Short mmCIF file of all heavy atoms in Angstrom, two decimals:
data_model
loop_
_atom_site.label_atom_id
_atom_site.label_comp_id
_atom_site.label_asym_id
_atom_site.label_seq_id
_atom_site.Cartn_x
_atom_site.Cartn_y
_atom_site.Cartn_z
N GLU S 643 -5.46 64.04 -10.86
CA GLU S 643 -5.86 65.17 -11.70
C GLU S 643 -4.86 66.31 -11.59
O GLU S 643 -4.49 66.94 -12.59
CB GLU S 643 -7.25 65.66 -11.29
CG GLU S 643 -8.37 64.68 -11.56
CD GLU S 643 -9.69 65.14 -10.96
OE1 GLU S 643 -9.68 65.67 -9.84
OE2 GLU S 643 -10.73 64.95 -11.61
N ALA S 644 -4.41 66.60 -10.37
CA ALA S 644 -3.45 67.68 -10.17
C ALA S 644 -2.12 67.36 -10.85
O ALA S 644 -1.51 68.23 -11.50
CB ALA S 644 -3.23 67.91 -8.67
N CYS S 645 -1.67 66.11 -10.73
CA CYS S 645 -0.41 65.72 -11.39
C CYS S 645 -0.52 65.81 -12.90
O CYS S 645 0.39 66.32 -13.57
CB CYS S 645 -0.02 64.30 -10.96
SG CYS S 645 0.57 64.18 -9.26
N ASN S 646 -1.61 65.33 -13.45
CA ASN S 646 -1.79 65.40 -14.90
C ASN S 646 -1.86 66.84 -15.39
O ASN S 646 -1.33 67.17 -16.46
CB ASN S 646 -3.05 64.64 -15.31
CG ASN S 646 -2.87 63.14 -15.22
OD1 ASN S 646 -1.76 62.64 -15.36
ND2 ASN S 646 -3.95 62.40 -14.98
N ALA S 647 -2.49 67.72 -14.60
CA ALA S 647 -2.52 69.14 -14.97
C ALA S 647 -1.10 69.71 -14.98
O ALA S 647 -0.74 70.51 -15.85
CB ALA S 647 -3.41 69.91 -14.00
N LEU S 648 -0.30 69.32 -13.98
CA LEU S 648 1.10 69.76 -13.93
C LEU S 648 1.87 69.30 -15.16
O LEU S 648 2.59 70.09 -15.80
CB LEU S 648 1.77 69.22 -12.67
CG LEU S 648 3.28 69.44 -12.58
CD1 LEU S 648 3.58 70.91 -12.28
CD2 LEU S 648 3.90 68.54 -11.51
N PHE S 649 1.70 68.03 -15.52
CA PHE S 649 2.44 67.49 -16.66
C PHE S 649 2.03 68.18 -17.97
O PHE S 649 2.86 68.42 -18.85
CB PHE S 649 2.23 65.99 -16.76
CG PHE S 649 2.67 65.22 -15.53
CD1 PHE S 649 1.98 64.08 -15.11
CD2 PHE S 649 3.76 65.66 -14.78
CE1 PHE S 649 2.39 63.40 -13.98
CE2 PHE S 649 4.17 64.96 -13.65
CZ PHE S 649 3.48 63.84 -13.25
N GLN S 650 0.76 68.51 -18.09
CA GLN S 650 0.29 69.23 -19.28
C GLN S 650 0.90 70.63 -19.35
O GLN S 650 1.30 71.09 -20.43
CB GLN S 650 -1.23 69.31 -19.27
CG GLN S 650 -1.92 67.97 -19.53
CD GLN S 650 -3.42 68.03 -19.31
OE1 GLN S 650 -4.00 69.11 -19.19
NE2 GLN S 650 -4.06 66.86 -19.25
N LEU S 651 0.99 71.29 -18.21
CA LEU S 651 1.64 72.60 -18.18
C LEU S 651 3.11 72.50 -18.59
O LEU S 651 3.61 73.34 -19.34
CB LEU S 651 1.54 73.20 -16.78
CG LEU S 651 0.23 73.89 -16.39
CD1 LEU S 651 0.28 74.32 -14.92
CD2 LEU S 651 -0.04 75.10 -17.28
N ALA S 652 3.78 71.48 -18.07
CA ALA S 652 5.19 71.30 -18.41
C ALA S 652 5.37 71.05 -19.90
O ALA S 652 6.27 71.62 -20.54
CB ALA S 652 5.77 70.15 -17.59
N ASP S 653 4.51 70.24 -20.46
CA ASP S 653 4.58 69.96 -21.90
C ASP S 653 4.29 71.21 -22.73
O ASP S 653 4.78 71.34 -23.86
CB ASP S 653 3.59 68.85 -22.28
CG ASP S 653 4.01 67.49 -21.74
OD1 ASP S 653 5.20 67.33 -21.41
OD2 ASP S 653 3.14 66.60 -21.65
N ALA S 654 3.49 72.11 -22.17
CA ALA S 654 3.14 73.35 -22.88
C ALA S 654 4.23 74.41 -22.74
O ALA S 654 4.11 75.49 -23.32
CB ALA S 654 1.81 73.89 -22.37
N GLY S 655 5.28 74.12 -21.96
CA GLY S 655 6.40 75.03 -21.86
C GLY S 655 6.47 75.86 -20.60
O GLY S 655 7.35 76.73 -20.47
N ASP S 656 5.58 75.63 -19.63
CA ASP S 656 5.60 76.40 -18.40
C ASP S 656 6.89 76.07 -17.62
O ASP S 656 7.12 74.92 -17.23
CB ASP S 656 4.37 76.06 -17.56
CG ASP S 656 4.27 76.91 -16.30
OD1 ASP S 656 5.05 76.68 -15.36
OD2 ASP S 656 3.39 77.80 -16.26
N ALA S 657 7.71 77.08 -17.37
CA ALA S 657 9.03 76.87 -16.77
C ALA S 657 8.93 76.34 -15.34
O ALA S 657 9.70 75.45 -14.95
CB ALA S 657 9.82 78.18 -16.80
N ARG S 658 8.00 76.87 -14.55
CA ARG S 658 7.88 76.41 -13.16
C ARG S 658 7.37 74.98 -13.09
O ARG S 658 7.80 74.20 -12.23
CB ARG S 658 6.96 77.35 -12.39
CG ARG S 658 7.50 78.77 -12.23
CD ARG S 658 6.70 79.54 -11.18
NE ARG S 658 5.29 79.55 -11.50
CZ ARG S 658 4.32 79.64 -10.59
NH1 ARG S 658 4.62 79.70 -9.30
NH2 ARG S 658 3.04 79.67 -10.96
N ALA S 659 6.47 74.62 -14.00
CA ALA S 659 5.97 73.24 -14.03
C ALA S 659 7.09 72.29 -14.43
O ALA S 659 7.25 71.20 -13.85
CB ALA S 659 4.80 73.14 -15.00
N ARG S 660 7.87 72.69 -15.43
CA ARG S 660 9.00 71.85 -15.85
C ARG S 660 9.99 71.64 -14.69
O ARG S 660 10.51 70.54 -14.50
CB ARG S 660 9.72 72.50 -17.03
CG ARG S 660 8.96 72.40 -18.34
CD ARG S 660 9.80 72.94 -19.49
NE ARG S 660 9.16 72.71 -20.77
CZ ARG S 660 9.71 72.98 -21.95
NH1 ARG S 660 10.93 73.51 -21.99
NH2 ARG S 660 9.07 72.72 -23.06
N LEU S 661 10.25 72.71 -13.95
CA LEU S 661 11.18 72.61 -12.84
C LEU S 661 10.70 71.60 -11.81
O LEU S 661 11.49 70.77 -11.32
CB LEU S 661 11.35 73.98 -12.19
CG LEU S 661 12.27 74.03 -10.95
CD1 LEU S 661 13.69 73.63 -11.33
CD2 LEU S 661 12.26 75.43 -10.33
N LEU S 662 9.41 71.62 -11.49
CA LEU S 662 8.89 70.67 -10.50
C LEU S 662 8.96 69.24 -11.03
O LEU S 662 9.33 68.32 -10.28
CB LEU S 662 7.44 71.02 -10.12
CG LEU S 662 6.77 70.07 -9.11
CD1 LEU S 662 7.62 69.91 -7.86
CD2 LEU S 662 5.38 70.57 -8.75
N VAL S 663 8.63 69.02 -12.29
CA VAL S 663 8.72 67.67 -12.86
C VAL S 663 10.16 67.16 -12.78
O VAL S 663 10.42 66.00 -12.43
CB VAL S 663 8.22 67.64 -14.31
CG1 VAL S 663 8.47 66.27 -14.94
CG2 VAL S 663 6.73 67.97 -14.37
N GLU S 664 11.12 68.04 -13.07
CA GLU S 664 12.53 67.64 -13.00
C GLU S 664 12.96 67.36 -11.56
O GLU S 664 13.72 66.42 -11.31
CB GLU S 664 13.39 68.73 -13.63
CG GLU S 664 13.23 68.80 -15.15
CD GLU S 664 13.79 70.08 -15.75
OE1 GLU S 664 14.35 70.91 -14.98
OE2 GLU S 664 13.65 70.26 -16.99
N GLU S 665 12.46 68.15 -10.60
CA GLU S 665 12.76 67.89 -9.19
C GLU S 665 12.24 66.52 -8.78
O GLU S 665 12.94 65.74 -8.12
CB GLU S 665 12.13 68.97 -8.31
CG GLU S 665 12.79 70.32 -8.37
CD GLU S 665 12.05 71.34 -7.52
OE1 GLU S 665 11.18 70.93 -6.72
OE2 GLU S 665 12.33 72.54 -7.66
N VAL S 666 11.00 66.24 -9.15
CA VAL S 666 10.41 64.94 -8.83
C VAL S 666 11.23 63.82 -9.46
O VAL S 666 11.49 62.78 -8.83
CB VAL S 666 8.94 64.88 -9.31
CG1 VAL S 666 8.39 63.45 -9.20
CG2 VAL S 666 8.08 65.84 -8.52
N GLY S 667 11.65 64.02 -10.72
CA GLY S 667 12.46 63.03 -11.41
C GLY S 667 13.79 62.77 -10.70
O GLY S 667 14.26 61.63 -10.63
N GLN S 668 14.37 63.82 -10.13
CA GLN S 668 15.63 63.64 -9.40
C GLN S 668 15.43 62.79 -8.16
O GLN S 668 16.21 61.87 -7.88
CB GLN S 668 16.21 65.01 -9.03
CG GLN S 668 16.74 65.79 -10.23
CD GLN S 668 17.07 67.23 -9.89
OE1 GLN S 668 16.83 67.69 -8.77
NE2 GLN S 668 17.62 67.95 -10.86
N TYR S 669 14.37 63.07 -7.41
CA TYR S 669 14.09 62.24 -6.23
C TYR S 669 13.78 60.80 -6.64
O TYR S 669 14.28 59.85 -6.03
CB TYR S 669 12.91 62.82 -5.45
CG TYR S 669 13.25 64.07 -4.67
CD1 TYR S 669 12.54 65.26 -4.89
CD2 TYR S 669 14.26 64.07 -3.71
CE1 TYR S 669 12.84 66.41 -4.17
CE2 TYR S 669 14.57 65.22 -3.00
CZ TYR S 669 13.85 66.39 -3.23
OH TYR S 669 14.15 67.52 -2.52
#
Side-chain angles (χ1 to χ4, degrees):
E643 293 172 321
C645 288
N646 287 332
L648 172 73
F649 301 146
Q650 289 171 12
L651 279 175
D653 290 341
D656 185 286
R658 295 194 304 152
R660 286 186 173 185
L661 178 63
L662 178 53
V663 174
E664 289 165 2
E665 287 178 13
V666 170
Q668 290 169 356
Y669 286 123

